Amino acid sequence: MGTLSASYFEKGKAYLLLNEEEDNEDERNKRQDALRERRQSDEQERDNGGEEDVEERKERSSDSSEDETDDEDDRQEIERRKESGRVCDSDDPTGEQEVRQERKPAWAPNFLCRNGRDVYHYAGNDIVIYESIGSYGSVMWPAALALCSYLDSNRLETELLGKRVLELGAGTGLVAIVASLLGAAVTATDLPDLLGNLTANVMRNTRGRCRFTPEFTALSWGNELERLFPRSLQNYDYVLAADVVYHHDFLAELLLTMQHFCQPGTTLLWANKVRFTTDPTFTQNFKESFHAELVVEEGDMKIYKATSREEGGMKI
C-alpha cells in the first residue's frame, strides 16, 4: 500500500464536524454562524480572487486586531508557527481560541488557521485556502487531505510531472493545487456555483509556481457527458476524486462520470471517508466497474487506485 506523509484525519474530524451525519442541527447551525461571522471581513477579498490592495488591508487591520494583515505578515506568521510547532486548536473550528502546542499524530497535515483562512503545507509550499459557507462543496473534507498526503508522499509512484489530470468535485481546490504544484496540467471541475471560490483558491496558490496554468470547468455528474465532454477528446492520465461519495442522490451519475473520463490508459485515484450505509454499495459497484486496488486504509479513510475494464485498460 502507499504511504502518507502526515495524517489528515484528526484535522478533518475536528474541523469538518459541520459535514458529519451525526451532528445535530443546533450544533451545525452554531458552527455555521461562527464561520459566517469570521468570514464576513473576507468576502471582498474572496470576490476579487484573493487579491486586495496591501494598504487597504493595513488600514483595516488597524481598526480591528482580528482583521486580515498583509501577505508578508501571513508568511512571517506561518514561519513562526512552524518553528514553534503550534497548530490550530482542533476543538476550535472558528479559529478564535489561542493556538496551543500539540504533538501531531503521524498523519496530521502541517496546518494552521488564522482569521478566516487555513494554511496547509504540501509539495514544499504553504497553501492558503478560503472556505465558503452555504455549501458542503466549499468546505474542506478529510479525504482531500488524505489524497493530498498520498500524492505528496508517493511522487515517484504517481509521477504527476507533465501529466494531464482531471479532478471531480474539486471543492475548495486543495487537491488541484497540490497536483499542480507537483507538475501536472490540472483541470478542476465542480458545480457552477462553486467555481468562483475554487478558482480564487487555486489561482492564488499556483500563480507563478507551476509549470501549467490550471483550468476550470463546470461539471454536473452524468449530465450530457458525451455532448459536453466528448469521450474521444478526454485523454487524461489521472482522474482524482476526494470525498465525492456522501449523502446525495447522484451516486449512479457519479459512477457514470468516473467511467466516462477513466479510459484505457487513465488512472483513477478515489479517496473516501466511509460515513453512510450507502458507501459499501457504491464501493462494490466501483470495484465491479474498474480494476481497483485499495492502496491506503486507515480506519474509515480509504484510497483506491483504479483503471478501466475496457479493452486496453491495464489491470493493476
Side-chain angles (χ1 to χ4, degrees):
M1 286 193 178
T3 59
L4 300 176
S5 63
S7 198
Y8 35 87
F9 306 133
E10 281 300 321
K11 188 269 173 182
K13 177 180 177 183
Y15 191 72
L16 301 170
L17 287 174
L18 176 64
N19 302 305
E20 294 296 343
E21 182 181 34
E22 62 267 24
D23 279 356
N24 64 51
E25 185 174 356
D26 289 339
E27 291 174 341
R28 183 164 58 252
N29 289 338
K30 288 178 182 178
R31 277 190 293 275
Q32 288 176 327
D33 290 340
L35 286 170
R36 184 179 296 107
E37 289 175 5
R38 100 176 163 154
R39 286 172 171 80
Q40 283 178 347
S41 64
D42 296 325
E43 289 297 333
Q44 181 64 40
E45 183 174 353
R46 286 203 302 275
D47 292 341
N48 293 332
E51 297 178 357
E52 185 176 13
D53 183 79
V54 174
E55 291 305 320
E56 280 186 37
R57 297 173 68 186
K58 287 182 178 179
E59 289 177 12
R60 191 172 61 175
S61 178
S62 66
D63 293 335
S64 170
S65 61
E66 295 181 355
D67 286 339
E68 295 295 319
T69 58
D70 59 23
D71 290 339
E72 181 59 32
D73 289 337
D74 290 334
R75 287 192 290 270
Q76 292 175 359
E77 180 72 11
I78 290 167
E79 293 305 319
R80 285 196 297 270
R81 296 195 184 194
K82 281 182 186 176
E83 292 172 1
S84 66
R86 295 185 298 171
V87 296
C88 179
D89 190 323
S90 61
D91 294 324
D92 176 29
T94 66
E96 293 175 357
Q97 295 181 14
E98 185 65 28
V99 292
R100 58 183 171 83
Q101 186 76 23
E102 182 178 279
R103 185 170 64 85
K104 295 186 296 185
W107 42 259
N110 291 321
F111 161 79
L112 63 88
C113 61
R114 181 175 183 233
N115 290 345
R117 63 176 66 184
D118 302 333
V119 183
Y120 302 85
H121 190 83
Y122 291 108
N125 288 268
D126 294 315
I127 301 171
V128 179
I129 294 293
Y130 284 94
E131 294 177 304
S132 177
I133 60 173
S135 171
Y136 284 164
S138 293
V139 296
M140 191 64 67
W141 287 58
L145 304 176
L147 188 52
C148 287
S149 180
Y150 179 82
L151 295 175
D152 198 12
S153 304
N154 297 275
R155 300 187 192 188
L156 293 179
E157 181 181 344
T158 55
E159 295 182 284
L160 291 184
L161 184 63
K163 300 298 177 62
R164 296 191 66 217
V165 171
L166 176 77
E167 186 183 4
L168 303 176
T172 61
L174 182 62
V175 173
I177 293 166
V178 172
S180 296
L181 292 171
L182 292 174
V186 176
T187 299
T189 72
D190 214 315
L191 295 172
D193 59 343
L194 301 181
L195 290 185
N197 192 55
L198 166 62
T199 302
N201 277 331
V202 174
M203 294 310 298
R204 180 187 303 112
N205 289 282
T206 60
R207 188 180 291 112
R209 298 184 185 182
C210 299
R211 182 176 179 181
F212 302 99
T213 300
E215 298 181 357
F216 310 90
T217 188
L219 172 61
S220 298
W221 298 332
N223 183 38
E224 298 185 283
L225 291 175
E226 186 57 37
R227 184 181 73 82
L228 297 174
F229 305 94
R231 202 159 189 267
S232 60
L233 302 179
Q234 311 307 312
N235 56 340
Y236 292 99
D237 299 294
Y238 284 91
V239 174
L240 307 179
D243 258 335
V244 290
V245 177
Y246 50 94
H247 194 55
H248 59 72
D249 298 323
F250 300 97
L251 295 179
E253 289 82 355
L254 170 60
L255 188 59
L256 210 72
T257 302
M258 287 177 165
Q259 292 174 302
H260 182 81
F261 288 103
C262 186
Q263 303 187 44
T266 303
T267 298
L268 170 60
L269 291 173
W270 167 45
N272 184 58
K273 181 179 180 182
V274 178
R275 298 179 179 85
F276 303 104
T277 56
T278 53
D279 285 21
T281 301
F282 181 89
T283 300
Q284 183 59 39
N285 293 336
F286 178 85
K287 291 178 179 179
E288 293 173 358
S289 302
F290 299 97
H291 296 300
E293 175 190 3
L294 182 63
V295 294
V296 169
E297 181 175 19
E298 292 191 16
D300 291 334
M301 187 67 71
K302 305 178 190 297
I303 300 179
Y304 287 91
K305 181 179 182 181
T307 56
S308 173
R309 286 188 177 273
E310 295 179 24
E311 184 177 352
M314 295 291 291
K315 188 172 182 178
I316 298 174

